[in-house]
Amino acid sequence: MKEITQNFQVQFSYKVIFTNKLFDISNSTFVNYFDNQEQAAKNFIIIDKGMYAHHPDLIDSIEKYFFFNKEKIQLLGKPLIIEGGEAAKNNPSYLEDILKATDELSIDRHSYITAIGGGALLDLVGFAAAIAHRGIRHIRIPTTVLAQNDSGVGVKNGINAFGKKNYLGAFVPPVAVFNDDHFLKTLNDRDWRAGISEAVKVALIKDELFFREIQRDAEKLSSRDSDCMKSLIFRCAQLHMEHIAGNDPFEMGSSRPLDFGHWAAHKIEQLSQYELRHGEAVAIGIALDVTYSYLKGNIAKETYEKITALLKNLGFKLYHHTLSVINQQGELTIIKGLQEFQEHLGGKLTIMLLEKIGKGIEVHEMDYELIKKSVKSLESLYTPV
Amino acid sequence: MKEITQNFQVQFSYKVIFTNKLFDISNSTFVNYFDNQEQAAKNFIIIDKGMYAHHPDLIDSIEKYFFFNKEKIQLLGKPLIIEGGEAAKNNPSYLEDILKATDELSIDRHSYITAIGGGALLDLVGFAAAIAHRGIRHIRIPTTVLAQNDSGVGVKNGINAFGKKNYLGAFVPPVAVFNDDHFLKTLNDRDWRAGISEAVKVALIKDELFFREIQRDAEKLSSRDSDCMKSLIFRCAQLHMEHIAGNDPFEMGSSRPLDFGHWAAHKIEQLSQYELRHGEAVAIGIALDVTYSYLKGNIAKETYEKITALLKNLGFKLYHHTLSVINQQGELTIIKGLQEFQEHLGGKLTIMLLEKIGKGIEVHEMDYELIKKSVKSLESLYTPV
């Protein structure tokens, strides 16, 4: 039997750069990125409508910034404003709008599609950039805590389809990420807080010291202390990126330990019709899996209490009525989330639980009765008043 | 300024396996691929309608084959039959049909989407597999010469959009390719011949010895000698794969030397409304660029004559009326193909021409008057009667 074996590696590299007021004329961080280009780098900019409402001068600043630096960077057309939040990922017409714009602007593969906004908008734009011309360079400027410390600094993009989160998407890293903390100031309290849950998550499974730092800073974080938030975002982004680089970045295998607390989170987000923010759902998902780990006998009562107390101190609600929704077979609907999680990932069911603070452990089955008990426990302790 | 640098490599690996009658019960090539799976590997199969017309027993054979090997492989649903040829890539509803099926069949990332057909169908299915769940494993069973020696063994997929070829797509390698020469027997003469032009192309820019072999075998190839075709396909696939592995597989840079003859080919394919096969258009594109190279003084008259004579002997037409279509500005419409080629690729215009047989040379501009002259020359010498 004749055969030809193909074998190659592809190298991916990008930086996450922390800055303040990226499009101030005096800030050269953005334009310096394009230092080695032969011609002015073409940028097509897409802006999150929700964020834009708080930054009405943004387009003006961007235009001035590009004009001031016109030898190195060039705007392609007018910035496009698109609905942010989960709507960006649920409505397929936004994807079409972006693709149509790339065609009309004659964007080529060496141009840049730059997205400014929350994680959902970045996911949408990243997907469009991944598939137009088989890949246009994509720059991310995340404007929420969650996007700056997690979703915006990684290698995934996607949109929702068939009622399933991220059903369509790709693994394609951005070419650069600019984390501008100026955008955090105008976040409402929910969006400020929501992203902190991803930091708790990664601390719990990777870094006990970081967990203790979050404990120490919980009150300040909750009362919107900028410096504490900057450190939290930096360390959280770093842990996520280290994990990605060290562990199957394009998820070809079965393991996906960064998704601690996420199997239930995705499902209740969807059941709440995205009234819950992703980060809020993750906090509940963590509370559920921590309760489960405790009831299962994997972690001590003290550990379980420490974690739920931290989430409470950070201002998270730890129960949502969608956890208790029952399907026609009389089962908890969130259990379906386990199956969807497995389908999305493929292979054996693999769920990350806790061994102790700072160390996760993978399991391949979950006890449905114990999930029910965990939900009941959260309901009795944490039903919002 | 704080920053985090991300750096990682992703390893890709797959085999192109040559076989005969892949789904004969006695042939274990296909099932052996799944040897290391823990459970029976789920396969969702998509079949090219045009090819299926010549192999009406195929679904029956596949079902028997899967049943016979049911401990190792499992069919997901009924095989889906989809229009082949460029229609597969032009009609966006086919992409939707496939994605919908992946959802309905609860396909996960460790399942397989296996496509059997010509290059266009493989491109469509490969794209669907690339974006569902951010990537489902994809197996290709190319059934035409062109798909077996070029498009089906590489890392690209895609569909057409906004009137442009491959406007949407991704770089995602298959996990395996099975080249079954039994499918070649039922090709009509046009499809048998069309794929030979890609072998001529890669020989011209990479391998003089291979060019001489094609010269030697031209008559046999033209009269459908199976053994000659098998060698041609093997060597051509090998040269393409070596090139991909050794040169920027995901085309992040500007160079794309495998596209010799393709800038004009893509445009006349589109202008003919895909009445021309891709391989037929490539033969004309090669003839054009070889004529241009000769008129420009880059190659000797003898070389130019040798190449055009070979294309003729292989049975290719070297002129098509779409080459001479004039736009409203009185210019050759194919010139627009240069611009579209550059947009798709990005960066500087980079066109591969010939230095000599077996060696290409990249240029960054083309002389429009000389293109016109080359078209005139082809028209006067090769207008089909």
Side-chain angles (χ1 to χ4, degrees):
Chain A
M1 194 180 55
K2 275 178 126 179
E3 57 181 45
I4 306 172
T5 299
Q6 180 67 306
N7 245 320
F8 61 84
Q9 288 185 326
V10 181
Q11 178 79 39
F12 297 92
S13 179
Y14 62 95
K15 281 183 178 170
V16 178
I17 299 164
F18 293 78
T19 187
N20 180 261
K21 298 193 180 170
L22 186 62
F23 293 115
D24 253 27
I25 297 288
S26 60
N27 187 337
S28 56
T29 311
F30 185 78
V31 67
N32 284 350
Y33 171 76
F34 302 95
D35 258 355
N36 301 318
Q37 305 266 328
E38 283 179 30
Q39 303 154 332
K42 292 175 194 162
N43 273 260
F44 172 42
I45 293 190
I46 299 174
I47 294 178
D48 187 315
K49 195 172 179 177
M51 178 277 299
Y52 184 59
H54 298 286
H55 297 268
D57 300 335
L58 183 62
I59 292 185
D60 197 42
S61 308
I62 290 173
E63 285 175 346
K64 281 188 183 133
Y65 190 88
F66 273 75
F67 184 74
F68 185 75
N69 294 294
K70 64 178 178 299
E71 268 142 54
K72 286 191 181 173
I73 48 177
Q74 180 198 336
L75 270 184
L76 270 184
K78 271 262 172 211
L80 181 65
I81 297 172
I82 282 189
E83 204 75 46
E86 214 60 27
K89 297 173 73 167
N90 278 330
N91 184 342
S93 73
Y94 293 132
L95 178 65
E96 255 184 75
D97 290 347
I98 299 172
L99 293 172
K100 211 173 284 172
T102 64
D103 174 51
E104 281 161 9
L105 295 168
S106 298
I107 279 183
D108 66 39
R109 269 196 211 159
H110 291 212
S111 300
Y112 295 81
I113 300 188
T114 298
I116 311 176
L121 180 97
L122 302 185
D123 276 358
L124 162 70
V125 177
F127 184 47
I131 62 175
H133 289 307
R134 296 199 186 103
I136 295 170
R137 296 171 180 177
H138 172 45
I139 292 176
R140 296 199 194 130
I141 304 175
T143 60
T144 64
V145 173
L146 190 120
Q148 290 195 359
N149 72 10
D150 178 357
S151 67
V153 302
V155 299
K156 299 184 198 177
N157 59 53
I159 59 173
N160 307 331
F162 311 116
K164 288 172 187 166
K165 214 169 143 78
N166 299 322
Y167 194 84
L168 302 177
F171 291 96
V172 179
V175 295
V177 181
F178 296 93
N179 270 350
D180 180 348
D181 57 67
H182 179 65
F183 287 112
L184 304 179
K185 293 196 191 350
T186 54
L187 290 177
N188 65 37
D189 283 348
R190 284 183 72 184
D191 285 318
W192 170 276
R193 187 178 338 272
I196 303 175
S197 63
E198 295 284 4
V200 174
K201 172 205 76 179
V202 76
L204 281 173
I205 56 179
K206 297 249 167 202
D207 186 349
E208 200 209 337
L209 184 63
F210 186 35
F211 181 82
R212 279 193 262 137
E213 282 169 13
I214 305 175
Q215 274 187 312
R216 182 196 64 201
D217 295 342
E219 206 169 310
K220 283 186 181 170
L221 285 165
S222 195
S223 56
R224 302 192 66 145
D225 180 298
S226 278
D227 286 337
C228 284
M229 186 56 103
K230 269 154 74 173
S231 319
L232 176 118
I233 288 173
F234 187 84
R235 182 65 185 143
C236 182
Q238 203 172 38
L239 284 166
H240 274 101
M241 290 166 71
E242 276 169 14
H243 175 83
I244 292 168
N247 293 274
D248 189 14
F250 292 176
E251 297 179 7
M252 294 164 179
S254 291
S255 170
R256 205 166 58 164
L258 277 180
D259 278 349
F260 175 55
H262 277 57
W263 71 269
H266 283 160
K267 196 66 197 170
I268 61 174
E269 234 186 305
Q270 184 210 330
L271 288 174
S272 80
Q273 294 178 301
Y274 301 99
E275 190 280 313
L276 278 174
R277 301 277 199 283
H278 178 65
E280 292 168 342
V282 167
I284 295 169
I286 293 173
L288 180 67
D289 282 352
V290 164
T291 306
Y292 179 96
S293 296
Y294 161 57
L295 294 177
K296 185 88 185 164
N298 291 347
I299 56 171
K301 189 171 186 206
E302 190 202 342
T303 307
Y304 148 77
E305 286 174 345
K306 223 185 255 180
I307 299 167
T308 48
L310 173 59
L311 290 170
K312 286 291 291 176
N313 291 343
L314 288 167
F316 286 109
K317 296 193 170 59
L318 302 192
Y319 176 76
H320 189 264
H321 62 88
T322 49
L323 278 176
S324 302
V325 172
I326 300 287
N327 68 12
Q328 290 180 326
Q329 287 76 50
E331 282 217 331
L332 283 181
T333 306
I334 53 157
I335 302 271
K336 188 92 170 45
L338 277 176
Q339 188 197 326
E340 286 173 12
F341 192 74
Q342 179 180 6
E343 265 170 32
H344 187 65
L345 185 56
K348 262 204 298 198
L349 176 71
T350 303
I351 296 287
M352 170 66 58
L353 291 177
L354 273 200
E355 193 179 304
K356 60 179 185 182
I357 290 173
K359 190 158 190 307
I361 181 171
E362 287 186 348
V363 302
H364 298 290
E365 54 183 353
M366 284 191 81
D367 177 335
Y368 293 177
E369 283 309 307
L370 218 50
I371 293 176
K372 262 191 225 171
K373 245 176 141 169
S374 308
V375 169
K376 286 270 174 230
S377 162
L378 290 179
E379 184 177 11
S380 67
L381 291 170
Y382 301 111
T383 296
V385 278
Chain B
M1 193 179 55
K2 275 178 125 177
E3 57 181 44
I4 307 171
T5 298
Q6 180 67 304
N7 245 319
F8 60 84
Q9 288 185 326
V10 180
Q11 178 79 39
F12 297 93
S13 177
Y14 61 95
K15 281 182 180 171
V16 178
I17 299 164
F18 293 78
T19 187
N20 181 259
K21 297 193 180 171
L22 187 63
F23 294 114
D24 253 28
I25 298 287
S26 61
N27 187 338
S28 57
T29 311
F30 185 77
V31 68
N32 284 350
Y33 171 77
F34 302 95
D35 258 355
N36 300 318
Q37 305 265 329
E38 283 180 30
Q39 304 156 333
K42 293 176 194 160
N43 273 259
F44 172 42
I45 293 191
I46 300 173
I47 294 178
D48 187 315
K49 194 173 181 178
M51 178 276 300
Y52 184 58
H54 298 285
H55 297 268
D57 301 336
L58 184 63
I59 291 184
D60 199 41
S61 308
I62 289 173
E63 284 174 345
K64 282 186 183 136
Y65 190 88
F66 273 76
F67 183 75
F68 185 77
N69 294 294
K70 63 179 180 298
E71 269 142 52
K72 284 190 182 175
I73 48 177
Q74 180 198 334
L75 270 185
L76 271 184
K78 272 262 172 213
L80 179 66
I81 297 173
I82 283 188
E83 204 76 46
E86 213 60 27
K89 298 173 73 168
N90 278 330
N91 184 342
S93 73
Y94 293 131
L95 177 67
E96 255 184 74
D97 290 347
I98 298 172
L99 293 173
K100 211 174 283 174
T102 64
D103 174 51
E104 281 161 9
L105 295 168
S106 297
I107 279 183
D108 67 38
R109 269 196 211 158
H110 291 212
S111 300
Y112 296 82
I113 300 188
T114 298
I116 311 176
L121 181 97
L122 302 185
D123 276 358
L124 163 70
V125 176
F127 184 47
I131 62 174
H133 289 307
R134 296 200 185 102
I136 295 170
R137 295 169 180 178
H138 172 47
I139 292 176
R140 296 197 194 134
I141 303 175
T143 60
T144 64
V145 174
L146 191 121
Q148 290 195 358
N149 72 9
D150 177 357
S151 67
V153 301
V155 299
K156 298 184 199 178
N157 59 54
I159 60 172
N160 307 332
F162 311 116
K164 289 174 187 165
K165 214 169 142 79
N166 299 322
Y167 194 84
L168 302 177
F171 291 96
V172 179
V175 296
V177 180
F178 296 93
N179 271 348
D180 179 347
D181 56 67
H182 179 65
F183 287 113
L184 304 179
K185 292 197 192 347
T186 53
L187 291 177
N188 64 37
D189 283 347
R190 283 184 71 183
D191 285 319
W192 170 276
R193 188 178 338 269
I196 304 175
S197 62
E198 295 284 4
V200 175
K201 172 205 75 180
V202 77
L204 281 173
I205 56 179
K206 297 247 166 202
D207 186 351
E208 199 208 339
L209 185 64
F210 186 36
F211 181 83
R212 279 192 262 136
E213 281 169 14
I214 304 174
Q215 275 187 311
R216 181 196 66 202
D217 294 343
E219 206 169 309
K220 284 187 180 170
L221 285 165
S222 194
S223 57
R224 302 193 65 143
D225 180 298
S226 277
D227 287 336
C228 284
M229 186 56 103
K230 270 155 74 173
S231 318
L232 176 118
I233 287 173
F234 187 84
R235 182 65 185 142
C236 182
Q238 205 172 34
L239 284 166
H240 274 101
M241 290 166 71
E242 276 170 16
H243 175 82
I244 291 167
N247 294 273
D248 188 14
F250 292 176
E251 297 180 5
M252 294 165 179
S254 291
S255 170
R256 205 165 60 163
L258 277 180
D259 277 350
F260 176 55
H262 277 57
W263 70 269
H266 283 159
K267 196 67 198 171
I268 61 175
E269 236 186 304
Q270 183 210 331
L271 288 174
S272 80
Q273 295 178 301
Y274 300 99
E275 190 280 312
L276 278 174
R277 301 279 198 281
H278 178 66
E280 292 169 342
V282 167
I284 295 169
I286 293 173
L288 180 67
D289 282 352
V290 164
T291 306
Y292 179 96
S293 297
Y294 162 56
L295 293 178
K296 184 89 184 164
N298 291 346
I299 57 171
K301 188 173 187 202
E302 191 202 341
T303 306
Y304 148 78
E305 286 174 347
K306 222 185 256 178
I307 299 167
T308 48
L310 173 59
L311 291 169
K312 286 292 292 175
N313 290 343
L314 288 165
F316 286 109
K317 295 192 172 60
L318 303 192
Y319 176 77
H320 189 266
H321 62 88
T322 49
L323 278 176
S324 303
V325 172
I326 299 288
N327 68 13
Q328 290 180 324
Q329 287 76 49
E331 282 217 331
L332 282 181
T333 305
I334 53 158
I335 302 273
K336 188 91 171 42
L338 278 176
Q339 188 197 326
E340 286 172 10
F341 192 73
Q342 179 181 6
E343 266 171 31
H344 187 65
L345 185 56
K348 262 206 294 200
L349 176 71
T350 304
I351 296 288
M352 169 68 55
L353 291 177
L354 273 200
E355 191 178 304
K356 60 179 184 181
I357 291 174
K359 191 159 190 308
I361 180 171
E362 287 187 346
V363 301
H364 298 290
E365 54 182 352
M366 284 191 80
D367 177 335
Y368 293 177
E369 283 308 309
L370 217 52
I371 293 176
K372 262 192 223 169
K373 246 177 141 168
S374 308
V375 168
K376 286 272 173 229
S377 163
L378 290 178
E379 184 178 12
S380 68
L381 291 169
Y382 301 112
T383 297
V385 278

